Amino acid sequence: MGFAWGPGDILVYETLYKASGSGCSFIHEIRKDEDIYSPILRKLFNESHHIFVGLQTIREDLPSKSKKPQFVSISKNYRSVIRACMEELQQVAGNNIRCVSILLAIELIWNLCEVLFIEAAPAGSLLLHLLDWVRLHKADVDERAREVLQSESPAEHHDYWDVVVSYVLQGRLEEARQMLVKQATLQPAARSMYKQMDTLLSKMPFYNPGGTQTLTEFDVKWRHWHEEVDRSLQDNSFASNRHLELICKILLGDEDTLLEHKELLGTWYHFLVTRLLFCHPTVKPTELHYYAQSCMTMFLDSRSVPEPLDSILLAAFEFDIHQVIKDCSIALNNWWFVAHLTDLLDHCKLLQSHNLHFGSNLREFLLLEYASGLFTHHSLWQLAVDYFDHCPEFGRVYLELQIERVPLETERKALKVLRICEQRQMSEQVRSICKIMAMRALRNNRLGSALSWSIRAKDAAFATLISERFLQDYCARGTFSDLDLIDNLGPAMLLSDRLTFLGKYREFHKLYGEKRFREAAKLLLSLMTAKIAPQSFWMTLLTDALPLLEQKEVSHQQTGSVLWNLQSASPLVFLSLQEEDVEVTKVELLRLALARNLAQAIVKEGTVET
Amino acid sequence: MEAINAKYVSQKISKTRWRPVSHSSLQPPEIFATGSWDNEDNRISIWSIGSNGSTGMEDGFEGDPQLLCEHKHDGDVLDLQFLDQNRIVTASSTGAVTIFRHHQNSQTISISQLWARAHHYPCDNAPCTGVVCSSPEIVTVGEDGRIIVFRADQEGVIRVIENADSSTIHAVTYLRTTEILTVNSIGQLKLWDFRQQSNSPSQILSLTGDRVPLHCVDRHPNQQHIVATGGQDGMLCVWDVRQGSTPFSLMEAHTAEMWEVHFHPTNPDHLFTCSEDGSLLHWETSSHSDMPSFLQGGRNSSMVSRSAMAPAGGNQSLISAWLSGDSSKGRLETTHMLPSQTLSVNSLDVLGPCLVCGTDGEAIFVNRQVLI
């Protein structure tokens, strides 16, 4: 087997051929990144491109205070795009489970990064954000609750207590209380116990970031409440009902109780947040990683190996942004996530300029990788252009190299690629694309198209080539083809000498046809003297001069000039047309006509009217 | 300008067209067709914005377009027109012209007729760039410079004008029932009369200055001598084909190629243009008011209109507002209709109060309440 690297894929071919038989060898194309070909994920790429471009245009000079909410909202936009894709993938039947779970993980990581890095919530509100984060990613609680509530007797449903405990674990105490009311009505005897639990649940303080209460005041209040719960447990108020006792222990943040409910928690980070909620609600961002590490160790058995997702989340809790990005790059097969996240974090000025060996920084490196991957796609290459634009150091070079490789099947696509190049002053690429299109047009005998391409590139050499074709056609057939083009050249005529000659020559024909011989003669003469005619054409020009000489409209200076031209043309004419008697005769005829004309002109002009 | 939402559709849209509504019904259009380009498998798709298509949308909320059906299309869809209520003609980059039939009861599309190499070079395919129809006649133009006339339900070609143009013909439109207008890539507007047997145009119009390629053309719905074109430099030109060979007024519209220009079919004081630079402009002209030609802030911007020559006398009220090149006599108002920073808007169509457009960012925008 042999292989060759392509920009985004590998070509693999068999090198061992069977001597006999139908040896049809195959070439296999292995695509590294399948995701960009998925129709639903394409929406992700397009929408995120829109958000990306919007992010780049946020003005740099605004104070960071007003920019933070903007960045947070952009981060939320990205996440909602991911969610929308995920939902759509889930609805579509098919083997999308891998994709859905990857998107879930991505959104989880992004959300955590938003909370910790972009929002950068201080102690107090940090926990609230983390609670939101956990609630968002544990949707099955609501499903179960719905199931329980829709049954005839919710309080006797076998999942009832699981739901209540889940609510408590997530800090959704209001909903827990509402559920408990249903149970309380069923057991009137234990009313006072339920009342007490209800009171405890309702009195749990939650920090209000917008309020007037300071963190210390909140802390004091919380400790009071915590002690009250502890007392309730110690006096065995809930001893008769193991469920309520369990809830009480959870409210105290008892680790063993929490660990007993691993299935309800599901993940170590849920365990972490719950533990923080009920033990240290005023946790500071810098303290997070201690708790995170210990929670992860406690939750995961010593046998099980932490998954990549776990180590990424742990790195996030440790505020090690680079580690997060590095681990994500390794774990995922597409640069989309790391490129956009790094770009956003860079805008928040959270990344130190981490210079890589080849000079560009991390953000640029990732964006370049992502955009190069996009360029291999037959359709998404247009998005990549904007990404390259926002990579100040190497973006332009990458774009120059890649844009020339876009296949140009139709004129419309070529026009779009040209517009991209022209807007960025990539004149080399403009010239080469126009040349490709012009050559193609010329090959198909579309001279007008070829001319319009060479006008766009301001390519004088090509315009000359086209004019030569026209003139050759004329010499061969005696008439012009494509008169609509030549008659209407306009200022484009000035692009090249040959083209000007063509236009003027056609004008000469028109004048002759309209019998305006004097102007025709003047034009012809100016064509000859200006020396823009190709040498192969001089004979034709001189032959055209013949009938004009007969018309007696030529003055003696003009005749002299023609004679001179004939003289200078003759050697060449003889060299090229040696055996042509016709040509020799033509020259002789010309000389004769010129001589006669000269004689007549001298006589005419010398005559004085008396 | 109310918010206009994007629907991302995973294919770059090259053309969008509303299905025509019958003149008797006063309902706004509900169905539109789109064609894609630059895909490995291109498709034509039919979408619905009617309430029967959406699934439980909140009241008062504009429903997303819902995909009704789609069909594979060989090559990029370079132009698309509704032949009648059920049939769509497309022009392909492979040079083929296809008629698709939309079966409304089963919501499927099938190919009804196909002319495979209608436009071609001697040994290569030539993209078919434009198609226009007036049932049952179909006229197509292509990069090979041919104009071909077909008739739906007839196998062969009715008439071919070989070598009609030495450059690419970009667009075609009907001027009268027997006359068509084409624009090409050397900036010429050519009038062809099918009653004549000759293969040359009956009239050629062009700008006096640079030969800028023209990409789109549209005729005024009521006054058949007024034609608007858009070209590579984004200038909107309004021509009077009866008089002279140069445009009547030139307006700077866009900063890049203008891909489509449309007069509103029932309210021709309104004109819509869309361009490679990602903007869609709504031009409104009215020669009645006394207000100055500048407008207040927001997203409106007033465009300067430069006239090439003054109107040739006669009763002012009979001359269309589009031809009064002097900006003090008329008022020209332009509005951006899309949020900024979209990729190229390739196509637009307007019918009644509804506007649909498609972009290279793989998004479709539908606006159901265009102010006209």
Side-chain angles (χ1 to χ4, degrees):
Chain A
M1 282 216 157
F3 68 91
W5 284 104
D9 36 28
I10 314 177
L11 283 177
V12 178
Y13 51 90
E14 298 170 2
T15 50
L16 200 62
Y17 303 118
K18 292 201 186 60
S20 63
S22 57
C24 164
S25 56
F26 288 103
I27 291 184
H28 306 274
E29 186 185 348
I30 300 177
R31 280 183 177 147
K32 183 174 76 127
D33 180 10
E34 270 232 317
D35 290 338
I36 52 177
Y37 291 92
S38 146
I40 295 177
L41 283 184
R42 268 172 85 157
K43 298 190 200 188
L44 180 72
F45 297 124
N46 275 292
E47 288 202 65
S48 57
H49 164 261
H50 189 83
I51 301 173
F52 173 84
V53 172
L55 171 59
Q56 309 307 311
T57 55
I58 287 182
R59 287 173 45 206
E60 282 298 316
D61 49 352
L62 289 176
S64 50
K65 263 206 199 123
S66 57
K67 284 202 273 190
K68 190 163 93 151
Q70 266 185 312
F71 290 139
V72 172
S73 88
I74 287 179
S75 178
K76 289 191 161 68
N77 276 344
Y78 273 122
R79 284 196 297 122
S80 68
V81 169
I82 301 175
R83 286 210 147 238
C85 264
M86 210 160 43
E87 276 162 31
E88 215 178 312
L89 273 174
Q90 278 171 333
Q91 281 172 6
V92 169
N95 207 0
N96 288 321
I97 302 182
R98 182 192 72 92
C99 234
V100 172
S101 61
I102 289 183
L103 283 177
L104 257 171
I106 284 180
E107 211 255 320
L108 182 75
I109 301 171
W110 194 305
N111 200 344
L112 185 62
C113 290
E114 179 186 313
V115 167
L116 294 177
F117 305 140
I118 302 175
E119 187 85 55
S125 40
L126 175 64
L127 184 67
L128 295 173
H129 284 279
L130 284 175
L131 261 181
D132 281 335
W133 173 64
V134 160
R135 286 174 194 167
L136 201 55
H137 290 97
K138 194 114 183 48
D140 58 353
V141 173
D142 287 311
E143 271 172 45
R144 266 177 156 188
R146 233 194 325 266
E147 218 181 276
V148 167
L149 287 170
Q150 279 168 2
S151 68
E152 309 96 48
S153 175
E156 287 165 359
H157 198 279
H158 60 89
D159 274 344
Y160 171 82
W161 283 109
D162 277 343
V163 170
V164 176
V165 171
S166 302
Y167 275 143
V168 175
L169 287 172
Q170 285 193 355
R172 292 157 79 169
L173 301 182
E174 262 305 313
E175 281 129 313
R177 285 170 62 204
Q178 281 169 10
M179 291 288 278
L180 278 176
V181 160
K182 297 198 196 305
Q183 190 71 357
T185 46
L186 274 188
Q187 299 177 20
R191 253 190 73 215
S192 60
M193 206 165 44
Y194 280 94
K195 189 86 184 56
Q196 193 179 3
M197 174 53 76
D198 192 68
T199 328
L200 282 179
L201 287 174
S202 65
K203 277 162 70 175
M204 175 170 180
F206 279 93
Y207 181 64
N208 181 359
T212 50
Q213 190 188 51
T214 68
L215 198 61
T216 350
E217 285 170 15
F218 164 73
D219 198 32
V220 165
K221 262 187 87 175
W222 184 81
R223 277 184 209 288
H224 270 302
W225 174 82
H226 192 90
E227 279 158 20
E228 201 182 317
V229 177
D230 199 25
R231 258 176 286 140
S232 309
L233 188 67
Q234 301 303 336
D235 3 332
N236 290 331
S237 335
F238 302 112
S240 48
N241 186 326
R242 62 183 181 85
H243 294 289
L244 290 181
E245 195 176 35
L246 172 71
I247 292 176
C248 199
K249 286 195 186 157
I250 292 175
L251 289 178
L252 284 174
D254 182 38
E255 276 168 22
D256 299 317
T257 331
L258 290 177
L259 282 171
E260 280 166 26
H261 288 87
K262 271 194 193 173
E263 334 80 54
L264 285 183
L265 286 171
T267 53
W268 63 270
Y269 40 91
H270 191 331
F271 172 52
L272 164 70
V273 174
T274 308
R275 190 161 153 242
L276 287 174
L277 173 65
F278 294 121
C279 298
H280 314 277
T282 54
V283 62
K284 293 208 262 294
T286 43
E287 296 166 353
L288 263 184
H289 70 276
Y290 295 125
Y291 296 112
Q293 183 67 62
S294 65
C295 283
M296 189 164 96
T297 337
M298 276 194 271
F299 194 90
L300 298 175
D301 301 330
S302 48
R303 294 162 287 155
S304 61
V305 174
E307 290 180 5
L309 177 62
D310 296 327
S311 43
I312 293 171
L313 290 174
L314 193 60
F317 282 121
E318 290 170 3
F319 283 80
D320 190 352
I321 298 183
H322 288 281
Q323 190 65 32
V324 171
I325 294 172
K326 186 167 148 200
D327 285 342
C328 286
S329 314
I330 297 172
L332 297 166
N333 70 338
N334 183 299
W335 295 101
W336 179 87
F337 173 60
V338 282
H340 286 89
L341 183 63
T342 313
D343 174 63
L344 183 57
L345 293 176
D346 188 65
H347 270 92
C348 303
K349 306 263 188 294
L350 289 168
L351 289 178
Q352 306 126 355
S353 62
H354 201 114
N355 268 338
L356 300 170
H357 291 298
F358 36 88
S360 67
N361 62 16
L362 184 63
R363 167 189 170 268
E364 185 160 321
F365 171 73
L366 292 172
L367 281 178
L368 289 172
E369 288 292 315
Y370 172 63
S372 308
L374 274 185
F375 236 105
T376 63
H377 192 269
H378 52 258
S379 218
L380 294 176
W381 57 270
Q382 269 187 295
L383 303 179
V385 172
D386 280 314
Y387 286 102
F388 282 134
D389 278 344
H390 291 107
C391 292
E393 222 172 301
F394 289 118
R396 195 192 158 87
V397 175
Y398 270 69
L399 184 60
E400 282 176 6
L401 290 172
Q402 298 269 26
I403 199 97
E404 283 191 312
R405 280 159 182 67
V406 175
L408 303 170
E409 302 101 1
T410 62
E411 280 205 1
R412 183 172 290 196
K413 189 161 175 188
L415 286 171
K416 285 182 188 260
V417 174
L418 265 181
R419 178 62 60 181
I420 290 173
C421 295
E422 278 176 0
Q423 277 172 346
R424 291 156 183 78
Q425 281 98 40
M426 296 182 177
S427 41
E428 274 281 327
Q429 280 70 26
V430 169
R431 252 201 307 274
S432 96
I433 291 170
C434 284
K435 199 160 271 183
I436 293 172
M437 296 307 290
M439 271 316 284
R440 198 185 290 178
L442 210 54
R443 213 175 43 222
N444 288 316
N445 216 19
R446 312 293 314 144
L447 294 173
S449 287
L451 187 64
S452 84
W453 287 111
S454 46
I455 290 173
R456 179 124 183 214
K458 301 195 188 14
D459 193 344
F462 215 87
T464 310
L465 194 70
I466 297 169
S467 327
E468 297 270 321
R469 274 282 282 266
F470 272 116
L471 293 171
Q472 278 167 15
D473 270 350
Y474 173 76
C475 286
R477 288 190 283 160
T479 53
F480 283 109
S481 60
D482 303 318
L483 277 176
D484 62 332
L485 174 64
I486 311 176
D487 280 341
N488 294 299
L489 279 175
M493 227 185 342
L494 302 170
L495 186 59
S496 111
D497 281 345
R498 201 52 52 81
L499 201 56
T500 320
F501 170 73
L502 182 65
K504 293 283 175 201
Y505 190 60
R506 168 71 194 147
E507 211 179 303
F508 162 73
H509 272 266
K510 273 204 287 205
L511 286 173
Y512 194 89
E514 291 164 18
K515 299 208 184 339
R516 289 151 65 181
F517 295 122
R518 183 154 293 179
E519 285 122 22
K522 240 194 240 161
L523 185 56
L524 187 60
L525 215 46
S526 63
L527 281 179
M528 284 202 267
T529 46
K531 297 203 186 341
I532 52 173
Q535 290 186 336
S536 52
F537 223 71
W538 283 8
M539 210 48 221
T540 324
L541 280 181
L542 290 165
T543 323
D544 285 330
L546 255 177
L548 282 176
L549 294 167
E550 299 301 316
Q551 296 287 339
K552 303 186 176 99
E553 295 286 347
V554 186
S555 76
H556 87 275
Q557 285 114 332
Q558 292 173 324
T559 317
S561 179
V562 176
L563 205 53
W564 187 87
N565 268 310
L566 181 59
Q567 283 300 109
S568 40
S570 302
L572 294 155
V573 167
F574 277 120
L575 273 172
S576 56
L577 309 159
Q578 272 157 348
E579 288 102 35
E580 298 276 340
D581 288 327
V582 174
E583 299 301 322
V584 172
T585 324
K586 256 198 214 165
V587 176
E588 294 303 319
L589 271 172
L590 260 171
R591 283 187 199 275
L592 184 60
L594 283 167
R596 275 168 44 190
N597 199 305
L598 200 53
Q600 278 171 349
I602 291 176
V603 168
K604 189 164 161 195
E605 284 161 30
T607 311
V608 172
E609 294 290 320
T610 49
Chain B
M1 185 193 76
E2 57 170 71
I4 177 172
N5 286 324
K7 162 105 178 154
Y8 285 88
V9 297
S10 307
Q11 44 183 331
K12 295 207 276 205
I13 302 293
S14 60
K15 284 288 165 189
T16 67
R17 291 283 179 261
W18 288 110
R19 188 178 70 182
V21 291
S22 53
H23 291 289
S24 51
S25 81
L26 295 167
Q27 286 175 334
E30 278 185 1
I31 309 252
F32 63 92
T34 61
S36 75
W37 76 287
D38 212 18
N39 251 350
E40 281 180 338
D41 322 297
N42 285 299
R43 286 187 241 142
I44 71 158
S45 321
I46 298 193
W47 307 77
S48 159
I49 55 166
S51 46
N52 50 346
S54 57
T55 48
M57 288 286 157
E58 298 89 67
D59 280 24
F61 211 82
E62 302 208 337
D64 268 352
Q66 301 294 324
L67 180 65
L68 291 180
C69 46
E70 57 184 10
H71 193 282
K72 183 162 148 34
H73 186 270
D74 215 9
D76 296 343
V77 177
L78 289 180
D79 204 355
L80 188 149
Q81 291 285 346
F82 271 91
L83 184 61
D84 52 30
Q85 283 282 319
N86 298 320
R87 289 183 295 178
I88 300 171
V89 191
T90 65
S92 163
S93 63
T94 59
V97 178
T98 324
I99 301 186
F100 290 91
R101 185 180 286 272
H102 175 212
H103 305 277
Q104 304 209 26
N105 36 11
S106 59
Q107 289 301 355
T108 51
I109 302 179
S110 61
I111 296 184
S112 158
Q113 222 173 334
L114 169 67
W115 291 279
R117 278 193 86 217
H119 289 273
H120 57 275
Y121 294 128
C123 46
D124 214 356
N125 280 340
C128 173
T129 51
V131 80
V132 74
C133 43
S134 133
S135 186
E137 195 176 76
I138 302 170
V139 180
T140 68
V141 293
E143 278 188 22
D144 56 352
R146 275 192 189 90
I147 300 178
I148 308 183
V149 183
F150 299 96
R151 189 154 291 206
D153 305 325
Q154 277 189 25
E155 272 294 318
V157 158
I158 303 297
R159 182 167 169 188
V160 179
I161 302 181
E162 293 278 350
N163 219 5
D165 209 313
S166 60
S167 63
T168 305
I169 306 179
H170 283 296
V172 62
T173 185
Y174 272 103
L175 196 61
R176 277 173 251 278
T177 42
T178 52
E179 287 181 8
I180 58 167
L181 212 58
T182 61
V183 289
N184 66 12
S185 62
I186 43 176
Q188 296 170 330
L189 206 65
K190 292 188 184 176
L191 225 110
W192 302 85
D193 193 337
F194 285 140
R195 291 168 298 194
Q196 297 173 5
Q197 280 310 309
S198 79
N199 277 356
S200 56
S202 51
Q203 205 182 345
I204 299 183
L205 303 99
S206 59
L207 287 162
T208 45
D210 278 326
R211 298 283 186 247
V212 175
L214 293 174
H215 287 296
C216 51
V217 64
D218 195 28
R219 191 204 73 192
H220 193 286
N222 306 330
Q223 300 178 303
Q224 292 175 335
H225 52 276
I226 297 178
V227 161
T229 62
Q232 187 178 290
D233 53 358
M235 295 265 268
L236 173 67
C237 305
V238 181
W239 309 68
D240 182 345
V241 296
R242 296 174 310 192
Q243 317 177 344
S245 61
T246 49
F248 216 87
S249 61
L250 292 152
M251 289 166 269
E252 285 177 13
H254 294 281
T255 53
E257 284 90 349
M258 187 191 299
W259 292 121
E260 285 203 26
V261 62
H262 284 273
F263 280 100
H264 191 283
T266 46
N267 207 330
D269 280 342
H270 297 259
L271 183 86
F272 297 85
T273 59
C274 68
S275 157
E276 175 77 19
D277 66 4
S279 61
L280 201 164
L281 291 178
H282 169 185
W283 302 71
E284 182 184 341
T285 176
S286 59
S287 38
H288 317 300
S289 82
D290 296 321
M291 283 172 65
S293 56
F294 290 96
L295 297 160
Q296 294 78 15
R299 306 292 293 282
N300 297 346
S301 51
S302 124
M303 296 291 173
V304 178
S305 104
R306 305 183 332 238
S307 67
M309 58 181 171
N315 200 341
Q316 191 70 9
S317 58
L318 285 180
I319 298 177
S320 163
W322 290 108
L323 294 184
S324 51
D326 191 350
S327 53
S328 64
K329 288 206 193 97
R331 180 180 81 153
L332 199 62
E333 194 179 310
T334 14
T335 327
H336 283 270
M337 296 205 72
L338 289 180
S340 55
Q341 295 155 6
T342 53
L343 286 179
S344 161
V345 182
N346 290 326
S347 169
L348 75 96
D349 197 17
V350 60
L351 189 61
C354 301
L355 176 104
V356 64
C357 65
T359 70
D360 268 348
E362 307 193 356
I364 296 178
F365 294 85
V366 178
N367 188 335
R368 286 198 239 205
Q369 287 160 30
V370 175
L371 299 165
I372 44 160

